[in-house]
Amino acid sequence: MTDAPENQQPPSTPSQPSPPPHIHPRREPFEHGLIPLQKLIFTDGTQTLTSIRDKFLQSPPPNHRVNSAAVSEHLQISPEHARLVIDTIASVLYSDSDPLVIAKADEVDSVGVNVYDLMIFLYIQSYKRLLPRGHKDSAAVADVWPSTSAFDGFLSALTPLQLVRSNSRRSMPSQADEEAHQLSYLQKHIGNIISLLADSVEGEGEDSLVLTMEKFEHLGFLIYFGEKGMEKVPLSQNAPFFANSDPDMPAVPVPASQVHDWILQNISDALDRISERAAAKENGQTSPSDQDVLMTDVSPNSKTPTSGKGPSFIEGVSKQSYVKQASELKGPFVKVVNCHESVIYVLAPLKYATIYGCSDATIVLGAVGKAVRVEHCERVHVISAAKRICIANCRECIFFLGVNQQPLIVGDNHKLQVAPYNTFYPQLEEHMKQVGIEASPNRWDEPVALGLIDPHDSLSHPAGISDCQTESATRVDPDQFTNFLIPNWLEGQASGSTKDNPFPLPDVYLSSQRRNENNLVEVKHILKEAPLEDSRKKELSTALHVYFKDWLYASGNIRQLYCLQGE
């Protein structure tokens, strides 16, 4: 055998083509786009919705967009609920450039919602969430929650913390399980949804529905193609029947049945892939692309994975102060799950945030541009600047809010309180600008309370139980309102222009705050000028320190001091 010449290059191997992108459900409409209003839920497939769609289109509205007055009229709901529908759709739309998404609060009605987006939104109101997995030791969680509600005995098989107080993610659906559940729903219903978007060809009979490329793109409300690290492209560019269309020429409509078959095949392939991954996981074979990779699993101090798609999880934090900055998150979706007796700071610009199954905690969210959902929590203080917030099945919680839309309260809630936003950190206004939150209006004190029963949750409404309005929230007494100070752990590393709370305080809270500050100055002056001997002053100082220490322990704030000392 002879040696190859030194300058001879090894034969090049042909580059492998990248695998085709896979179909995924968009989680946003299923997690943040369901409204528990019976008048929005249609159980007869497309029969009623087709009639409603045709009413909207009888006098073709400009660009197929309708305002809240039309929504109120044709759905027979109140103007307030009609605006809630439009605002909810805006929070889960698939395109951030949609006119409804970028509209100011006072422009929403003049812009309106696209009729076909509205039809898809109304159709998926029939979706039921995946049930939490049964806990392997049900006796261990049987008496966690005090039964103070007359409805507790029959409205839910599991009370809020019974669903999640296991310190194990096994009691909740995994991200893969939820994706499979959503895909299975779409597999069953995508034919009806396509028919709501399709046009009939005149004179061709009932089976002659066709779909234009423009209306096909509306399916992006529910599905997308792509994997981690890949930029999402228009849905039509992944479809073989539209992918090579001339951008200067209108694409030829395709038979709706062809679209239906193609999507069903992609969903079937995706479900098979999820099953294969689950089987491999059971056999101990894991991969970095596993969708259930957590930010925090057993150890809340573990590093955030930079790969992997889906939300970042902050889970299982107990008796700690815990901080996450924007650079430490893998994306704009965060879920804070099963955290107890802790103070958690997520100081970042976000799109969506979920707080689930937490207790005896203070949770500070930075700026959330789309939606916050707080569910199954007790004795939690939530501080957030957000476009909108939904509160479900919570007790004895206080919400300090800077929100541009009315807070939505649903489910079995008790002793909730709301208050104006009460903190700041250096990058807050920059983060608010990034995600589109305005400092005014702040509608923290205008909660909308809907039904006690959530029709999207199989646990909460056994057959034969009638619905009634849930308990709303009361305002925090201005005399009990205090500012919350966020320690600057990263002084010198993080800079920002925010020096004070950007949300103006209502006069009654501002007056109370100033009165308390004046009282503090006066008390300090009285103590300083008190005509006491040195020994008596020392006794007074000792007594004050004792009372302050007692308050620290009684309020739980002593833990923050210990945590701060350790930083």
Side-chain angles (χ1 to χ4, degrees):
M1 179 185 288
T2 59
D3 293 334
E6 291 184 4
N7 61 351
Q8 181 174 325
Q9 298 295 323
S12 60
T13 56
S15 59
Q16 295 293 325
S18 57
H22 300 301
I23 196 169
H24 298 279
R26 287 186 68 243
R27 292 174 181 153
E28 296 91 327
F30 295 108
E31 294 184 3
H32 297 277
L34 303 178
I35 302 177
L37 279 175
Q38 286 293 342
K39 286 190 174 182
L40 301 182
I41 298 173
F42 302 93
T43 58
D44 58 355
T46 61
Q47 183 175 342
T48 303
L49 282 176
T50 299
S51 173
I52 292 173
R53 179 201 62 187
D54 293 343
K55 287 179 182 177
F56 278 119
L57 297 175
Q58 270 179 354
S59 301
N63 300 316
H64 295 135
R65 291 184 174 272
V66 294
N67 61 19
S68 61
V71 172
S72 174
E73 176 186 353
H74 294 311
L75 297 183
Q76 298 182 355
I77 58 178
S78 69
E80 183 182 48
H81 287 166
R83 179 57 185 263
L84 173 63
V85 166
I86 293 178
D87 286 341
T88 303
I89 293 174
S91 74
V92 297
L93 274 175
Y94 46 98
S95 172
D96 286 341
S97 61
D98 189 283
L100 183 60
V101 175
I102 60 180
K104 303 287 187 183
D106 57 356
E107 300 171 343
V108 167
D109 259 344
S110 61
V111 171
V113 61
N114 185 283
V115 169
Y116 296 103
D117 290 333
L118 175 61
M119 289 300 104
I120 295 175
F121 170 82
L122 291 174
Y123 191 94
I124 66 167
Q125 298 305 305
S126 65
Y127 176 79
K128 289 188 182 294
R129 297 185 185 93
L130 183 61
L131 293 178
R133 298 180 184 181
H135 193 276
K136 61 184 178 181
D137 184 10
S138 58
V141 295
D143 296 317
V144 168
W145 190 266
S147 182
T148 58
S149 167
F151 298 96
D152 284 348
F154 55 83
L155 273 187
S156 75
L158 297 175
T159 49
L161 289 188
Q162 288 176 347
L163 291 174
V164 292
R165 177 84 80 142
S166 63
N167 282 324
S168 166
R169 208 158 168 257
R170 286 190 294 270
S171 65
M172 294 177 59
S174 69
Q175 293 296 296
D177 287 345
E178 286 188 337
E179 178 162 337
H181 184 65
Q182 292 159 9
L183 283 172
S184 296
Y185 173 85
L186 292 174
Q187 188 178 46
K188 180 178 179 180
H189 295 282
I190 196 67
N192 285 341
I193 294 170
I194 289 173
S195 73
L196 290 172
L197 304 178
D199 298 312
S200 296
V201 178
E202 293 184 10
E204 296 291 335
E206 291 183 359
D207 297 330
S208 60
L209 294 178
V210 296
L211 209 61
T212 64
M213 186 169 75
E214 177 189 3
K215 291 179 182 175
F216 175 77
E217 289 287 5
H218 287 284
L219 291 174
F221 194 100
L222 298 173
I223 56 176
Y224 72 94
F225 285 82
E227 302 300 328
K228 61 180 183 295
M230 293 177 59
E231 184 177 347
K232 292 182 184 179
V233 297
L235 196 60
S236 58
Q237 296 306 305
N238 288 292
F241 30 80
F242 289 128
N244 298 316
S245 298
D246 185 342
D248 297 324
M249 295 288 291
V252 177
V254 299
S257 58
Q258 183 180 351
V259 177
H260 184 215
D261 292 344
W262 176 74
I263 292 179
L264 283 182
Q265 183 59 55
N266 277 277
I267 290 176
S268 178
D269 292 345
L271 288 171
D272 289 344
R273 196 168 57 255
I274 292 173
S275 297
E276 290 169 4
R277 184 179 295 145
K281 196 173 182 180
E282 286 182 4
N283 295 329
Q285 303 171 7
T286 58
S287 70
S289 62
D290 194 324
Q291 295 182 31
D292 290 315
V293 172
L294 301 182
M295 176 190 296
T296 58
D297 196 353
V298 178
S299 169
N301 296 316
S302 58
K303 293 184 178 180
T304 307
T306 55
S307 64
K309 68 185 182 67
S312 296
F313 279 82
I314 299 174
E315 181 167 9
V317 178
S318 180
K319 299 183 179 180
Q320 295 187 44
S321 284
Y322 186 74
V323 188
K324 280 294 174 184
Q325 304 275 347
S327 60
E328 300 173 286
L329 300 175
K330 62 179 178 180
F333 303 80
V334 167
K335 291 190 175 185
V336 182
V337 178
N338 198 22
C339 296
H340 309 286
E341 300 183 71
S342 297
V343 182
I344 296 170
Y345 306 85
V346 186
L347 307 181
L350 304 169
K351 285 188 175 181
Y352 298 93
T354 298
I355 301 172
Y356 189 99
C358 299
S359 68
D360 301 290
T362 296
I363 300 171
V364 184
L365 300 175
V368 187
K370 297 288 188 180
V372 176
R373 183 174 178 87
V374 184
E375 189 170 9
H376 296 304
C377 292
E378 67 170 354
R379 297 185 302 279
V380 170
H381 289 194
V382 175
I383 304 173
S384 180
K387 183 66 68 72
R388 68 197 313 265
I389 186 170
C390 177
I391 303 161
N393 305 306
C394 293
R395 301 190 184 187
E396 300 177 43
C397 294
I398 305 178
F399 300 87
F400 298 88
L401 302 175
V403 287
N404 295 151
Q405 297 176 14
Q406 293 173 274
L408 181 61
I409 300 178
V410 301
D412 191 9
N413 299 283
H414 297 278
K415 298 181 181 179
L416 302 183
Q417 292 181 279
V418 290
Y421 192 76
N422 67 338
T423 193
F424 70 94
Y425 59 96
Q427 302 82 30
L428 175 58
E429 287 171 298
E430 178 186 340
H431 291 170
M432 289 170 57
K433 185 176 180 180
Q434 285 182 38
V435 299
I437 298 172
E438 304 286 342
S440 181
N442 183 2
R443 307 187 70 180
W444 65 274
D445 60 343
E446 304 174 41
V448 176
L450 297 184
L452 182 69
I453 296 172
D454 186 352
H456 307 109
D457 181 358
S458 300
L459 283 179
S460 68
H461 63 296
I465 303 303
S466 60
D467 197 8
C468 59
Q469 183 172 304
T470 187
E471 181 180 312
S472 190
T474 59
R475 299 182 187 182
V476 168
D477 186 328
D479 289 334
Q480 302 298 318
F481 177 82
T482 58
N483 286 328
F484 184 85
L485 179 64
I486 298 177
N488 192 353
W489 290 272
L490 303 177
E491 189 170 0
Q493 299 180 34
S495 60
S497 60
T498 303
K499 307 297 182 185
D500 201 356
N501 183 352
F503 293 92
L505 282 180
D507 289 342
V508 63
Y509 286 88
L510 187 60
S511 298
S512 178
Q513 190 177 70
R514 288 174 176 168
R515 185 167 59 251
N516 290 337
E517 290 172 353
N518 292 336
N519 289 342
L520 178 60
V521 171
E522 184 178 347
V523 169
K524 284 183 176 180
H525 179 74
I526 291 173
L527 292 175
K528 184 177 181 181
E529 301 299 326
L532 298 174
E533 297 176 359
D534 289 345
S535 60
R536 299 290 289 173
K537 284 186 177 181
K538 188 174 182 179
E539 288 179 14
L540 177 60
S541 177
T542 301
L544 289 173
H545 277 90
V546 169
Y547 281 117
F548 180 62
K549 188 175 181 180
D550 288 345
W551 173 82
L552 284 174
Y553 279 102
S555 63
N557 288 314
I558 189 67
R559 184 176 297 112
Q560 289 193 64
L561 292 184
Y562 287 141
C563 291
L564 292 175
Q565 286 177 342
E567 292 291 339

